[in-house]
Amino acid sequence: MKRNTIIILLLCAVLTLCAQPRQELRAVWLTTLEGLDWPSTKGTSASVEQRQKQELCKILDQLKQANVNTVLFQARIRGTVTYPSDYEPWDGCISGRFGTAPHYDPLQFAIEETHKRGMELHAWVVTVPTGKWESYGAKYLRQHRPNLMKRIGVDAFLNPENAQTAEYISNICEEITRRYDIDGIHLDYIRYPEQWKGGFNRSQGRENITRIVRAVHKKVKRLKPWVKMSCSPLGKFDDLTRFPSGGWNAYNKVCQDAQGWLREGLMDQLYPMMYYDGKHFYPFAADWSENRYDREIASGLGIYRLIRSEGNWSLDAIKRQMYVARQLGLGHCYFRSRFLTDNTKGLYDFVCDFDAYPALVPAVVTHQPAPTAPTTFNVERTTNGDNISWGGAVDTSDGDYLTYNVYASTTLPVDIQDARNLIATRQMHPFVSVRRPSDDPTLYYAVTAVNRYGKESEPVGGQRSKVGGQRSEVKGQRSKVGGQESASDQLMTNNGYLLTIPEDKMLPEADHLAVLSMQGTIIATKSFARSVNISDIPNGVYELRTLNHKGVTHHIGFFLIKR
């Protein structure tokens, strides 16, 4: 077995023991451009549109089964849209013809079906690019908004240097927010195009892009302050001290001050497009984690690179990134949906184990209070399971709308901080049925109310149920290695500067200690001792091994540096 493969397997075994978080951003980009993810059939006949709806429902069912909690649904494509707009024409991905409307509203349908499954839907809005100069969307804008358009070669863009561009893009986002019960506005390509020619002042360029962000934020939050603002910046914010970005970064190359937008409160979430591996992923993931300003960041995973034509990555590359992102407190977002639901190289199977339990979308940073807990609670016992109902919760925020989370456990009190006990999220109605065989162990239940901002109430519950049961299969069990949990295989702790090897770690005779990256490259050697100086090693996840004069090494453990 190759050395790198052994390292990967050891890392996976160790990190599998780490508890899954109860709150974590797990998202997917669902692309409508050319029907890449949906829909696979186009047309306006009743039968075709019914197949489109069935296909989307199947996709959402698969995402729900994989415990994805946020769907980024592409609502604006390239000067064209997938909903009835007063500003731009219909894209051809639904009806098969640009400018032709289907007999239903795809965005509204997607919102309803996503919410039925307890997931959030964010309207994905492509901002600056408008396709080729001769494309349908660009021609429409050239006719109706010629002062906003800029041509670069064969491509067309809205000009970020024109102040009216901010007004126009924000009007579209305002329209979506006013008409639809969305959970977020997600801005894509909110940056200078890579095709932009000629020198320009980077500081002014960042202000031009930030002007668009501010305009959208102002209009969206004025209408519905609970709607989350997010964007997808380049995966590398800027050059790091030890790791250059290779000339392709958000801050200096394309004028995205994404970390500044977090600091200023203009963004609630970020989905950096981290479609790289190795030193181009891990140090920059740590940088995003360290500069989050109490907001949420999900590492954008380039799962499309699993296919041969886009890089032919092994599944292990994505596994490593997901494990490390979780250790850094980052969520994860898949690009694109189809590569996940198609189970490319076994990805979907892995995700269903990695995210075996549901997770709540972290709340928006706000001063709005949490709702009051439900005041009534009832469990009806039947031969098929338990029917649970509740009521009396009050939304004390300005959202005036509640959903509910349901927890279950075989012990009292029900620990709502344990992700394994979360059995239903964002329930729209105050009742749920739990179907389990009557001979399964007794279940206890707890219910919390959640407001528009994601603030959760105290729980109500604890009533004994004589029937019902424990969740089955691997989801009801702790992850184990070799049938037993091994405390000695947990990540070794450190303060960012000194790593002390636990006494229970057996150290064979050696001359040195070697610190290895997750790619198996030795990045530092240290004197053989129980206390190791790691102050010169950047943030990240590493393996520690012994190293003797014959080149023989032995695994000691893994550790995470997060200063």
Side-chain angles (χ1 to χ4, degrees):
M1 186 178 295
K2 292 184 179 179
R3 173 188 178 82
N4 285 3
T5 303
I6 295 174
I7 292 173
I8 292 164
L9 293 175
L10 286 170
L11 177 65
C12 292
V14 171
L15 295 183
T16 297
L17 298 176
C18 300
Q20 292 184 27
R22 187 178 71 102
Q23 296 187 12
E24 185 174 59
L25 191 52
R26 303 172 182 172
V28 63
W29 279 284
L30 202 159
T31 310
T32 57
L33 171 67
E34 299 179 352
L36 289 174
D37 291 325
W38 177 84
S40 61
T41 57
K42 302 174 177 61
T44 57
S45 70
S47 60
V48 169
E49 291 180 355
Q50 182 62 24
R51 287 201 299 272
Q52 290 177 350
K53 292 179 179 181
Q54 291 171 348
E55 180 188 15
L56 183 57
C57 287
K58 179 181 178 181
I59 292 170
L60 295 177
D61 284 341
Q62 288 180 277
L63 298 178
K64 175 64 176 177
Q65 182 65 30
N67 285 318
V68 168
N69 55 30
T70 303
V71 177
L72 308 177
F73 181 87
Q74 194 169 24
R76 183 182 191 241
I77 301 179
R78 297 290 190 276
T80 53
V81 293
T82 57
Y83 69 96
S85 172
D86 293 337
Y87 293 96
E88 294 184 340
W90 281 92
D91 191 80
C93 65
I94 308 294
S95 68
R97 296 181 61 186
F98 285 96
T100 299
H103 296 108
Y104 72 107
D105 184 337
L107 179 56
Q108 180 61 33
F109 180 77
I111 292 169
E112 292 172 356
E113 293 299 323
T114 302
H115 286 175
K116 285 179 184 178
R117 291 160 175 79
M119 298 184 288
E120 293 192 358
L121 186 140
H122 297 204
W124 168 9
V125 175
V126 177
T127 56
V128 173
T130 59
K132 300 300 181 182
W133 189 252
E134 296 298 331
S135 67
Y136 187 87
K139 284 183 177 180
Y140 182 90
L141 290 171
R142 284 159 52 195
Q143 180 181 354
H144 292 84
R145 303 280 178 171
N147 61 315
L148 301 184
M149 297 295 288
K150 182 178 179 64
R151 179 173 185 170
I152 306 178
V154 298
D155 298 310
F157 303 90
L158 292 175
N159 188 351
E161 297 182 347
N162 187 329
Q164 294 180 14
T165 293
E167 179 74 8
Y168 181 71
I169 293 174
S170 64
N171 283 343
I172 293 174
C173 295
E174 181 184 40
E175 175 182 63
I176 296 172
T177 304
R178 176 180 289 109
R179 293 184 182 178
Y180 296 96
D181 185 21
I182 56 170
D183 302 288
I185 287 286
H186 177 69
L187 303 180
D188 192 14
Y189 280 97
I190 184 69
R191 57 181 171 90
Y192 269 77
E194 54 266 41
Q195 299 96 324
W196 201 272
K197 303 299 181 182
F200 62 97
N201 184 286
R202 299 293 172 179
S203 179
Q204 182 59 50
R206 284 189 288 274
E207 179 53 37
N208 292 339
I209 300 299
T210 300
R211 177 172 58 206
I212 301 173
V213 174
R214 286 199 185 101
V216 175
H217 179 274
K218 180 179 180 180
K219 290 185 178 179
V220 168
K221 295 290 188 178
R222 181 176 59 193
L223 281 173
K224 298 176 181 178
W226 57 85
V227 169
K228 301 176 177 70
M229 283 285 299
S230 71
C231 71
S232 49
L234 298 189
K236 305 172 186 179
F237 179 66
D238 201 357
D239 291 328
L240 303 179
T241 303
R242 295 186 60 187
F243 296 92
S245 64
W248 185 239
N249 62 66
Y251 187 73
N252 276 307
K253 183 63 177 180
V254 296
C255 300
Q256 291 176 309
D257 189 10
Q259 292 180 0
W261 300 337
L262 292 178
R263 182 175 59 250
E264 193 176 333
L266 295 175
M267 290 288 170
D268 301 297
Q269 303 172 338
L270 291 184
Y271 299 82
M273 301 182 294
M274 305 188 67
Y275 308 154
Y276 323 103
D277 198 17
K279 67 180 182 181
H280 296 289
F281 179 92
Y282 300 105
F284 296 93
D287 179 61
W288 287 115
S289 177
E290 293 163 6
N291 294 281
R292 59 195 304 172
Y293 300 99
D294 295 322
R295 314 285 171 168
E296 294 304 316
I297 298 180
S299 55
L301 302 174
I303 62 173
Y304 69 96
R305 291 191 176 274
L306 290 170
I307 64 174
R308 183 177 301 276
S309 61
E310 295 290 348
N312 199 27
W313 283 8
S314 69
L315 179 59
D316 289 330
I318 299 297
K319 287 182 178 180
R320 287 195 301 268
Q321 293 177 6
M322 293 178 68
Y323 282 121
V324 171
R326 177 166 287 171
Q327 288 297 310
L328 292 173
L330 303 178
H332 41 276
C333 184
Y334 308 103
F335 185 78
R336 301 180 279 110
S337 170
R338 185 179 296 276
F339 299 106
L340 175 61
T341 56
D342 281 355
N343 199 25
T344 307
K345 291 187 176 178
L347 174 64
Y348 185 83
D349 293 337
F350 167 73
V351 167
C352 287
D353 287 335
F354 183 81
D355 291 334
Y357 312 111
L360 306 180
V361 177
V364 176
V365 176
T366 177
H367 297 296
Q368 294 288 342
T372 63
T375 56
T376 62
F377 183 82
N378 182 64
V379 177
E380 176 192 6
R381 300 193 300 263
T382 75
T383 57
N384 295 322
D386 297 337
N387 297 324
I388 311 159
S389 60
W390 57 89
V394 177
D395 185 3
T396 55
S397 72
D398 57 11
D400 195 27
Y401 179 82
L402 294 176
T403 56
Y404 305 94
N405 298 328
V406 183
Y407 301 82
S409 174
T410 56
T411 60
L412 280 173
V414 177
D415 183 2
I416 69 169
Q417 299 303 317
D418 190 333
R420 296 171 298 178
N421 295 335
L422 185 58
I423 63 171
T425 63
R426 287 176 54 92
Q427 295 299 291
M428 300 170 66
H429 305 291
F431 54 83
V432 69
S433 295
V434 179
R435 299 296 178 222
R436 292 292 185 268
S438 58
D439 58 350
D440 271 6
T442 298
L443 271 185
Y444 302 91
Y445 299 100
V447 175
T448 60
V450 184
N451 65 17
R452 292 277 196 179
Y453 297 89
K455 294 288 189 73
E456 189 176 25
S457 75
E458 293 296 317
V460 65
Q463 183 172 340
R464 179 187 288 269
S465 166
K466 295 296 185 182
V467 295
Q470 197 172 25
R471 279 171 290 159
S472 61
E473 301 176 9
V474 297
K475 294 188 178 181
Q477 306 293 329
R478 284 189 185 271
S479 297
K480 297 184 179 182
V481 177
Q484 295 183 347
E485 294 183 350
S486 172
S488 64
D489 276 341
Q490 299 291 343
L491 290 174
M492 294 185 291
T493 59
N494 64 86
N495 63 5
Y497 303 94
L498 188 67
L499 170 69
T500 300
I501 303 173
E503 291 298 326
D504 63 355
K505 294 284 187 182
M506 299 298 294
L507 299 182
E509 184 177 349
D511 302 301
H512 295 89
L513 297 172
V515 178
L516 284 74
S517 71
M518 289 300 94
Q519 290 71 49
T521 303
I522 296 178
I523 64 169
T525 56
K526 303 290 181 179
S527 298
F528 186 82
R530 282 279 175 182
S531 295
V532 185
N533 183 352
I534 57 173
S535 61
D536 59 335
I537 300 175
N539 288 349
V541 177
Y542 302 94
E543 182 192 18
L544 188 67
R545 300 182 70 90
T546 60
L547 179 65
N548 66 20
H549 66 282
K550 296 181 179 179
V552 177
T553 72
H554 293 276
H555 170 78
I556 299 175
F558 294 96
F559 63 96
L560 166 71
I561 301 177
K562 184 179 179 183
R563 299 186 182 91

